[in-house]
Amino acid sequence: AQSVAQPEDQVNVAEGNPLTVKCTYSVSGNPYLFWYVQYPNRGLQFLLKYITGDNLVKGSYGFEAEFNKSQTSFHLKKPSALVSDSALYFCAVSANTGGFKTIFGAGTRLFVKA
Amino acid sequence: DADVTQTPRNRITKTGKRIMLECSQTKGHDRMYWYRQDPGLGLRLIYYSFDVKDINKGEISDGYSVSRQAQAKFSLSLESAIPNQTALYFCATSDTGLAGTYNEQFFGPGTRLTVL
């Protein structure tokens, strides 16, 4: 069955330190992987995606993610966190498994402390 | 102006009432989606439409129906609302892209629905 796991409900990091938000997935066929960010009282905003090609994907606001096929992971990273990065982050996977499916993870809340 | 708009933004209703949530987009995308967000569960797909004549059930379609009135409009109805349909509802759109691929989605601001 198709699934997405974000194993951490919350990640705390100090401003200026690197951050990682974890995501693992399970899907039949080729995965289309996405990261979205949600600020309070707002809809989700697209950060980056992996479709094919280079395993390291660069996205908006200095974020990047690494696709690891053997570990079925797609962790979100940023070299230097900002207080303004504090938000709710969602990993999502889309696939054609006899019909379109998109599955979102439960979300990880990121707190960046000044 | 926002590319994806939702009306109303907030709604409180009673059990058994019929509710319609509306979504409009100016992005020119063919694909539109309805999701609900519940704390700790992420977003779950209710219905999706890949063009005006295409409607498909998602993960949790029971108790909901949709109508794709035009390329730019996709409405979600709760025929007889119940309390466990209290949630944050999002509409989203995406570009068609290459055949067999899926592009990123663009979300509206959400509708907070409370069913008493």
Side-chain angles (χ1 to χ4, degrees):
Chain A
Q2 189 170 325
S3 65
V4 174
Q6 293 182 242
E8 301 154 316
D9 292 336
Q10 184 171 310
V11 170
N12 298 307
V13 64
E15 188 174 33
N17 283 359
L19 70 87
T20 299
V21 182
K22 296 179 180 178
C23 173
T24 59
Y25 66 92
S26 173
V27 65
S28 318
N30 294 324
Y32 298 85
L33 295 159
F34 304 86
W35 276 102
Y36 294 88
V37 60
Q38 185 180 29
Y39 297 101
N41 301 313
R42 301 285 296 276
L44 279 69
Q45 297 176 33
F46 168 72
L47 280 178
L48 50 79
K49 67 182 176 185
Y50 173 82
I51 303 297
T52 187
D54 195 348
N55 289 343
L56 183 64
V57 178
K58 294 188 182 295
S60 305
Y61 312 121
F63 284 94
E64 58 188 28
E66 186 168 11
F67 172 64
N68 187 317
K69 186 174 183 178
S70 62
Q71 296 185 4
T72 61
S73 67
F74 190 55
H75 301 331
L76 181 70
K77 300 181 180 184
K78 187 173 182 181
S80 179
L82 299 172
V83 172
S84 58
D85 292 330
S86 298
L88 188 57
Y89 290 81
F90 290 97
C91 179
V93 60
S94 294
N96 189 333
T97 57
F100 168 77
K101 269 197 172 184
T102 185
I103 301 292
F104 281 79
T108 297
R109 189 163 296 281
L110 174 66
F111 285 102
V112 181
K113 187 175 181 181
Chain B
D1 288 340
D3 296 321
V4 184
T5 57
Q6 293 183 234
T7 56
R9 294 293 311 278
N10 289 282
R11 182 72 182 268
I12 300 174
T13 190
K14 294 182 179 180
T15 298
K17 293 292 188 180
R18 184 179 188 274
I19 295 296
M20 179 180 286
L21 309 182
E22 299 190 10
C23 176
S24 294
Q25 53 113 347
T26 59
K27 299 192 72 68
H29 291 166
D30 285 327
R31 298 181 174 185
M32 298 188 73
Y33 313 81
W34 274 105
Y35 294 90
R36 65 176 280 175
Q37 182 180 21
D38 298 278
L41 294 178
L43 277 73
R44 291 180 291 168
L45 182 63
I46 305 172
Y47 271 94
Y48 65 98
S49 169
F50 279 3
D51 64 43
V52 175
K53 297 181 179 180
D54 176 71
I55 300 289
N56 300 281
K57 293 182 178 180
E59 183 185 357
I60 53 163
S61 58
D62 288 349
Y64 301 95
S65 63
V66 291
S67 173
R68 184 81 184 266
Q69 300 96 322
Q71 186 205 36
K73 296 184 182 295
F74 192 36
S75 60
L76 175 72
S77 294
L78 288 68
E79 297 300 326
S80 180
I82 56 177
N84 76 2
Q85 291 178 312
T86 293
L88 190 54
Y89 290 84
F90 287 104
C91 174
T93 74
S94 70
D95 194 4
T96 301
L98 298 174
T101 65
Y102 301 109
N103 286 332
E104 63 272 22
Q105 296 177 29
F106 296 84
F107 286 79
T111 295
R112 187 168 297 280
L113 177 66
T114 302
V115 183
L116 302 176

